[in-house]
Amino acid sequence: MSANLYHSDKEYQDSIVTHLGDSQLRVNLKTSMDTLKSNRHKLINTRYRNWEGLRDVGKQIKQKALKNLPELLERFESKAKERGINVHWAKDSKEANEIIFNLAKQKGITTILKGKSMASEEIHLNAYFKEKGIKAIETDLGELIIQLINEPPVHIVVPAIHKNRNQIGEIFAKNLKVKFTNVPEELNGIARSYLRKEFKNFKMGLTGVNFAIANEGAIWLLENEGNGRMSSTACDIHVAICGIEKIVESFEDACILDTLLVPSATGAPITCYNNIISGPRKPNELDGPKEVHVILLDNNRSNMLSQPHFHEALSCIRCGTCLNHCPVYDKIGGHSYLVTYPGPIGEVISPQIFGLDNCGYMTNLCSLCGRCSEKCPVKIPLAELIRDLRSEKVGQGRGKVIGYMNTRRDSKEQKMMTEFSKVATSGIKWRIGFKLLHIASPFIKFFAQMQIAKRSIFGKWLLNHDLPELNGNLHAKVKRLKGVIYE
């Protein structure tokens, strides 16, 4: 995945076919996804008396914050400045990168240590710094693993979830010049030893932000490894990149969202480290940064906020549970989406951040099963939003999404869906169609094999799909189902 956002449909299709053909990737993803889902389900059923009620409260908190976002942002800025925090506003990734680079340049800094930050991935900070001759070192274990092999995160919470311990052992042996091991404790030890040397003399640390509290002018960081605490307190200068949607009104609101986020993300009741930063080191304090800078990043979020329906995606608390439950994501992995934010939430926010013309194809990577909407802790109607973005992609929406005018319309797709809708909305045509398919099924299968060989549109579809068995039993079931529907 490069900083160049434009990808053709063929690049998407080739990427999907490649990752579908990676059997080890699919095994790794299934194992990890099953574990995360199981842990989440068990925790919610044993530790929470009213999880659904808590979701309702979380949704209300985020919707209220978004409704009052301009005022809350100004309040946060005012309170943060009172506490000695420097607040910067970045319209887009270019401005955000320049702000961070200029800070580093002023202080003569050539190396920056990073805690986990998807916002920094969104603005392609590492690639920008590389061009400027500044070294950016990832300190999150998952981020470190993929940085060593020059890959982007595959997941918004667990960036190296597609690698098993044997693969990680090989990555460390090759890139860190250590003896191969696949023992998790030893792998953690290798990473710790490597990063401790980097932490000794670094001057600038960078992190993301989970919650920015308007009433207090403080930021809240969640993490499990301690690297985020090191990156934010052991340096002279701490820079935090904060998407403007991360603003909440109070600590009480943040606590409720935290109670929803952590179980949804990892299946644990609480993270190992909760870092609340309310300003730089005071004269009588022994540790903490001398300067704290918070960058409030827009990057088309204001346009999302102005949309009557799509603004709901800004409620996302980045737990990643929609990815964990997505039957498409766990087959192809995050890299197939060719953009920073993959999975269901990525299909909604990426076209709106990076442009529908650049990321519109992502909306095809959804079965509309609705699992993401059912599991989202703040009840974002993700499946509905994906469906509506599909209508935008083919030119049938309101036309307000970034990149709408430059979207590559597929007239064949529009025609096919128009004809399908005529059949799907007519009981008679639907029944006749299934009867004909039942009769023609053997011929279709023979024709399909020829199409696969020819690599036609139908053939490409069949590379990763199986035609259903249209036998008498299925036909009878369909007939009974249609009878129920139309009686």
Side-chain angles (χ1 to χ4, degrees), residues 140-345:
D140 174 84
L141 179 57
E143 293 279 0
L144 171 63
I145 292 166
I146 59 174
Q147 185 179 41
L148 290 173
I149 55 176
N150 196 32
E151 283 188 4
V154 78
H155 192 286
I156 64 176
V157 176
V158 272
I161 199 170
H162 59 308
K163 300 294 184 185
N164 60 33
R165 59 182 182 173
N166 292 316
Q167 292 171 309
I168 295 169
E170 292 170 356
I171 292 169
F172 281 1
K174 179 180 179 180
N175 294 278
L176 300 182
K177 309 303 179 186
V178 296
K179 183 180 178 181
F180 172 82
T181 178
N182 62 2
V183 179
E185 292 79 6
E186 294 177 1
L187 292 170
N188 283 329
I190 291 169
R192 186 182 300 112
S193 297
Y194 169 72
L195 290 172
R196 283 287 172 173
K197 292 181 288 186
E198 301 292 344
F199 275 123
K200 280 184 179 179
N201 299 308
F202 84 118
K203 299 298 181 183
M204 178 182 281
L206 182 140
T207 68
V209 173
N210 290 100
F211 309 111
I213 297 93
N215 288 350
E216 306 296 334
I219 58 175
W220 188 344
L221 313 179
L222 304 171
E223 45 126 353
N224 283 309
E225 299 173 17
N227 64 297
R229 178 163 292 182
M230 292 287 286
S231 299
S232 60
T233 61
C235 52
D236 290 337
I237 304 168
H238 171 213
V239 179
I241 308 177
C242 177
I244 58 174
E245 81 281 8
K246 298 295 183 71
I247 299 286
V248 295
E249 185 170 13
S250 65
F251 269 121
E252 290 78 8
D253 289 347
C255 286
I256 290 171
L257 295 176
D258 173 57
T259 307
L260 286 162
L261 190 160
V262 182
S264 298
T266 63
I270 192 171
T271 53
C272 297
Y273 297 90
N274 284 268
N275 308 300
I276 297 173
I277 298 168
S278 58
R281 181 196 311 177
K282 294 180 175 61
N284 60 336
E285 293 178 336
L286 300 178
D287 58 10
K290 296 176 183 178
E291 297 179 22
V292 177
H293 297 262
V294 175
I295 300 171
L296 295 174
L297 176 66
D298 189 323
N299 213 24
N300 288 326
R301 286 166 172 80
S302 291
N303 189 70
M304 292 173 64
L305 188 63
S306 69
Q307 303 300 315
H309 189 34
F310 294 130
H311 76 275
E312 294 186 69
L314 290 172
S315 295
C316 177
I317 55 177
R318 299 294 191 271
C319 68
T321 198
C322 61
L323 282 72
N324 303 342
H325 289 84
C326 177
V328 177
Y329 175 89
D330 73 2
K331 301 296 187 300
I332 61 177
H335 290 162
S336 296
Y337 295 79
L338 300 179
V339 75
T340 304
Y341 300 108
I345 186 61

Side-chain angles (χ1 to χ4, degrees), residues 110-130:
T110 57
T111 301
I112 180 171
L113 267 60
K114 296 176 59 192
K116 188 175 184 303
S117 167
M118 287 304 295
S120 74
E121 298 286 346
E122 176 186 327
I123 64 176
H124 301 284
L125 179 67
N126 289 10
Y128 178 86
F129 268 12
K130 188 175 181 179

Side-chain angles (χ1 to χ4, degrees), residues 9 14 21 50 92 131 232 243 281 288 354 392 440 445:
D9 289 358
D14 290 346
N50 186 7
D92 52 27
E131 292 177 359
S232 60
R281 181 196 311 177
F354 304 116
E392 296 281 347
K445 288 184 177 293

